[in-house]
Amino acid sequence: MTPETSARALWIINGLTLLVAAIFLSPVLYSIWMSFQTSDAYYSGGVDFTLRNYDVAVGQYNFARYLLNSVIVSGIVTLLGISFATMAAFAFARFEFRGGNLMFGAVVATLMIPSHITLIPNYLTLARAGMLDSYAGLILPAISSGFAAFFLRQYIRGIPRALDEAAYMDGATPLKVLWRVIVPISKPAIFSMALQLFIAEWNNYIWPLVAISESDLYTLQIGLARLYRVNPGEDVIDWPLVMAASTITILPVLLGFVLVERHLVRGITMGAVK
Amino acid sequence: MSSITLRDIRKSYANGPRVLHGVDLDIGDGEFVVIVGPSGCGKSTLLRLIAGLERCEEGEIVIDGRRANELPPQDRNIAMIFQNYALYPHMSVLENIAFGLELRKVPRKTREARAREVAETLQLTPYLDRKPGALSGGQRQRVAMGRAMARDTSTFLMDEPLSNLDNALRNAMRTEIKTIHQRLGATIVFVTHDQTEALSLADRIAVMKDGYLQQFDTPAAIYDRPANRFVASFLGTPKMNFVTSDAVTGWTGRRGVEVGLRPDTLRLHRKKPGAASIEARLTLTEMTGSEVVLHCQTQSGAMSAIAHRRQDLPAPGERIWLEYDVAAAHLFDMHSGARV
Ligand SMILES: Nc1ncnc2c1ncn2[C@@H]1O[C@H](COP(=O)(O)OP(=O)(O)OP(=O)(O)O)[C@@H](O)[C@H]1O
Ligand SMILES: [Mg+2]
């Protein structure tokens, strides 16, 4: 390829990328734009900028509270989930212990169980423990992620064991090896798994629906779903209001993604061993 | 204080063949022991057992008079230089070197000062902020060495720590290691493929082959009285020449013996001398500096000799005679290879 044709190819690739990005983004942008319209203007095809939808969503429908609940629940689930997954992955990747393979098999097996099957057993368990209608009830069933443990184990196995050994020689305990060597090197994998856990929990609908009846503990997804049903008498749905609520639901995730994105770069094991 | 005793160490890797077949080694406090042997003979395995990185199920490891088989590596307080460096890729050179001290809760100021000092002697100062990924092979090797040197310990295991350095650096580092050894009175177990290194550094050399210890003695003893044919041929460049006793004129000793002649004990003649000699045809000469290595073909096979460059040297293809002294020869049993 000559320099000119490669420059032209670059233009074409960039153009196509932009086009695809625009297609993917358009529903989001459209809904955000819609959320700033009055419903009258929206239904009559006009343009009338307003912040009232947000005011109603937060004030009348309590979305600030739902947002807080979602942040607390998803945040704690992510933090605990990724911690347990990382520790389990380290143990499975690096230590030989009796029943280890069996346990790992069990972890992998959980990946094949549809989440809906666990819904009723989980419900009964938490009901008996008196944990329905509480943050704990929302959080506990979600903090073990077999997939994250499995994925991180594979990642850690790719890290030369010589690094662990060097750290042991330097005087590190197994926990220190995990925290000072394995975790920093696995950062990209850990962050992607954490992001995945966070999004899955943020979008979780069925479990909060089942486990929570008290409206103070609703998460955003429940609140959003209820917006459709709040005014059964009116046969039109106030779409601009729904879009404002949706925007409140989407934005933190987008923001979070932008924040962790720079940690998702390729890992560094270069230069570690010959 | 650190002495290391290995008693009848055997080792096989998980469902692999046995790689160590009963090694006994007594390393005194402050001793510099060099382990040599062909690739794959179990040198690294032996170091890893001493370090505690491999489980020792057969035999006993005694460190400072106490059985250490079950002691985890982090509690042995031994510094190790890995054959493949094993640098922490996410830490800078400075952090790599200081990590061992950090784990032992040495205050930041102290440990960084110490790391800088070590880096200075290893000529690493310009790279302190770099990550290992941005270093050359030789620089990485020196970081690996710095990491061990910064440690507050008196036991070092070094697995070919100088293999990747250029000649000047290698000589400088060799001196550095020798200095540490003397200044700290450190016990050092050092693996190398380099004979000069082995002979010049060691208090005692352990020669290994196929998982067996062949000989464990001072460099002079190993060179002058090799325990068997393998040790004799392994140390010394060029290699020792071997001829069967039948080929020796006027041989009166026992039969079935191989006679080992070091190349530097052979004397070159262009005419048949009066003394005992072997007739040879010169095939190749090789300059090594002040000396020349002569490769020749004889009735008993290829042989080599060393001559001074001052001598007027024969050209390849010429007939020459190599005078030898049976009294200076090493004799080995033809079958067992053991010294007789
Ligand atoms: N983790 C392992 N699993 C199975 N076999 C191994 C393992 N490590 C080493 N070996 C085998 O054990 C033998 C000794 O290996 P070792 O690394 O100790 O040799 P070495 O003397 O250090 O060689 P070199 O000079 O090439 O470094 C070799 O045959 C090798 O293939
Ligand atoms: Mg080795």
Side-chain angles (χ1 to χ4, degrees):
Chain A
M1 221 194 302
T2 66
E4 295 92 82
T5 58
S6 78
R8 191 185 306 158
L10 207 63
W11 273 106
I12 294 174
I13 290 169
N14 281 344
L16 282 176
T17 314
L18 272 176
L19 185 71
V20 173
I23 292 173
F24 273 79
L25 260 178
S26 56
V28 178
L29 293 178
Y30 182 63
S31 68
I32 292 176
W33 181 78
M34 201 202 284
S35 72
F36 288 109
Q37 300 296 311
T38 60
S39 59
D40 289 346
Y42 172 71
Y43 283 110
S44 63
V47 176
D48 186 3
F49 182 82
T50 178
L51 288 174
R52 208 192 73 95
N53 295 321
Y54 287 90
D55 199 28
V56 173
V58 170
Q60 195 176 327
Y61 293 112
N62 218 6
F63 264 72
R65 175 73 205 205
Y66 303 162
L67 178 65
L68 182 71
N69 290 341
S70 274
V71 167
I72 289 174
V73 171
S74 300
I76 294 179
V77 162
T78 306
L79 221 62
L80 290 181
I82 202 66
S83 304
F84 291 144
T86 306
M87 288 191 274
F90 180 56
F92 283 131
R94 289 300 203 238
F95 297 96
E96 294 200 348
F97 48 96
R98 196 173 308 175
N101 285 336
L102 200 71
M103 279 170 74
F104 185 66
V107 168
V108 173
T110 64
L111 304 184
M112 281 95 165
I113 301 174
S115 63
H116 300 98
I117 290 183
T118 61
L119 200 64
I120 290 170
N122 276 347
Y123 181 84
L124 294 176
T125 309
L126 290 180
R128 215 166 278 170
M131 284 190 194
L132 295 175
D133 270 320
S134 73
Y135 281 133
L138 283 173
I139 291 166
L140 282 180
I143 56 171
S144 75
S145 166
F147 181 72
F150 170 76
F151 181 88
L152 291 174
R153 168 188 180 261
Q154 298 308 107
Y155 193 91
I156 292 171
R157 276 160 60 104
I159 299 173
R161 206 185 267 261
L163 298 185
D164 303 38
E165 294 174 345
Y168 285 122
M169 293 313 290
D170 269 342
T173 56
L175 261 183
K176 271 268 169 10
V177 172
L178 173 63
W179 186 241
R180 296 299 307 275
V181 177
I182 299 295
V183 165
I185 295 174
S186 315
K187 220 166 77 174
I190 291 176
F191 270 104
S192 358
M193 274 305 111
L195 187 68
Q196 208 237 307
L197 285 180
F198 183 83
I199 292 176
E201 187 53 33
W202 190 266
N203 291 343
N204 197 353
Y205 174 66
I206 300 284
W207 179 251
L209 189 68
V210 170
I212 299 299
S213 53
E214 207 169 306
S215 71
D216 265 359
L217 287 172
Y218 283 167
T219 58
L220 281 172
Q221 308 300 342
I222 306 296
L224 199 54
R226 287 177 65 91
L227 263 192
Y228 297 86
R229 297 188 272 133
V230 277
N231 299 326
E234 301 174 16
D235 49 354
V236 284
I237 293 171
D238 186 352
W239 283 115
L241 176 62
V242 172
M243 287 309 141
S246 300
T247 305
I248 294 174
T249 307
I250 292 169
L251 275 187
V253 178
L254 277 183
L255 216 67
F257 181 78
V258 170
L259 284 181
V260 302
E261 202 258 356
R262 71 194 173 87
H263 295 291
L264 298 178
V265 288
R266 199 167 58 88
I268 31 156
T269 47
M270 205 175 67
V273 292
K274 245 199 276 200
Chain B
M1 266 298 286
S2 44
S3 63
I4 301 166
T5 304
L6 306 182
R7 286 203 199 109
D8 198 25
I9 299 286
R10 291 153 202 275
K11 175 74 190 174
S12 355
Y13 284 105
N15 48 48
R18 178 159 282 183
V19 299
L20 291 177
H21 305 264
V23 173
D24 288 282
L25 217 53
D26 226 316
I27 301 168
D29 179 33
E31 196 171 12
F32 200 129
V33 169
V34 173
I35 302 179
V36 296
S39 184
C41 70
K43 305 181 295 292
S44 298
T45 305
L46 200 63
L47 282 202
R48 293 171 56 81
L49 281 160
I50 299 175
L53 296 171
E54 298 291 345
R55 286 168 60 127
C56 178
E57 281 139 350
E58 297 171 86
E60 195 174 35
I61 299 175
V62 179
I63 299 176
D64 286 334
R66 250 189 266 128
R67 179 182 157 94
N69 289 38
E70 288 78 27
L71 202 61
Q74 64 268 31
D75 296 336
R76 298 192 185 192
N77 199 19
I78 293 176
M80 180 158 176
I81 302 176
F82 288 80
Q83 188 169 4
N84 62 3
Y85 315 149
L87 303 180
Y88 310 121
H90 55 294
M91 297 184 197
S92 68
V93 169
L94 186 74
E95 290 165 331
N96 261 282
I97 295 177
F99 189 58
L101 296 176
E102 187 185 341
L103 287 171
R104 291 196 157 72
K105 307 219 160 32
V106 175
R108 174 182 288 272
K109 272 235 172 70
T110 322
R111 65 173 190 255
E112 287 196 349
R114 174 94 189 99
R116 277 173 204 283
E117 193 182 308
V118 167
E120 185 66 41
T121 65
L122 294 169
Q123 304 173 29
L124 283 171
T125 308
Y127 315 110
L128 282 176
D129 296 326
R130 291 213 200 153
K131 300 272 166 70
L135 297 177
S136 76
Q139 290 162 349
R140 284 177 203 171
Q141 189 156 38
R142 278 178 282 154
V143 177
M145 201 153 125
R147 200 165 56 178
M149 282 169 55
R151 288 274 304 281
D152 184 18
T153 177
S154 57
T155 316
F156 295 86
L157 307 176
M158 309 185 173
D159 203 343
E160 303 189 28
L162 308 176
S163 59
N164 237 339
L165 306 181
D166 64 49
N167 246 328
L169 261 175
R170 181 187 298 230
N171 287 335
M173 293 308 128
R174 202 155 68 196
T175 317
E176 197 53 46
I177 292 178
K178 198 84 193 173
T179 312
I180 296 181
H181 175 234
Q182 279 161 4
R183 199 184 55 217
L184 303 179
T187 308
I188 299 180
V189 186
F190 186 105
V191 172
T192 182
H193 279 284
D194 184 323
Q195 302 199 13
T196 328
E197 235 163 71
L199 293 168
S200 67
L201 285 173
D203 291 328
R204 282 195 290 170
I205 297 178
V207 185
M208 290 180 60
K209 182 193 175 203
D210 298 340
Y212 291 96
L213 183 64
Q214 304 289 312
Q215 189 171 7
F216 183 39
D217 216 327
T218 62
I222 294 230
Y223 192 80
D224 296 337
R225 288 187 307 281
N228 56 41
R229 193 184 188 282
F230 171 78
V231 175
S233 67
F234 192 75
L235 281 159
T237 3
K239 275 171 57 169
M240 186 183 277
N241 302 298
F242 294 96
V243 295
T244 59
S245 50
D246 297 341
V248 176
T249 33
W251 179 258
T252 55
R254 62 179 257 205
R255 308 195 67 84
V257 166
E258 261 188 309
V259 180
L261 300 163
R262 292 239 184 249
D264 54 349
T265 63
L266 298 174
R267 291 240 302 279
L268 169 68
H269 293 279
R270 309 191 66 167
K271 294 212 177 65
K272 189 171 167 60
S277 65
I278 297 170
E279 186 182 339
R281 206 169 51 79
L282 186 62
T283 51
L284 191 71
T285 61
E286 201 182 328
M287 229 268 286
T288 61
S290 64
E291 290 172 332
V292 172
V293 179
L294 308 167
H295 296 275
C296 351
Q297 199 58 43
T298 72
Q299 290 213 309
S300 336
M303 289 181 68
S304 48
I306 292 179
H308 281 287
R309 272 176 71 201
R310 287 186 265 103
Q311 270 174 312
D312 80 298
L313 291 168
E318 269 185 51
R319 219 147 62 114
I320 55 170
W321 282 265
L322 300 171
E323 180 191 334
Y324 58 85
D325 177 7
V326 177
H330 303 266
L331 307 181
F332 303 100
D333 185 275
M334 192 87 81
H335 300 292
S336 71
R339 185 180 188 83
V340 296

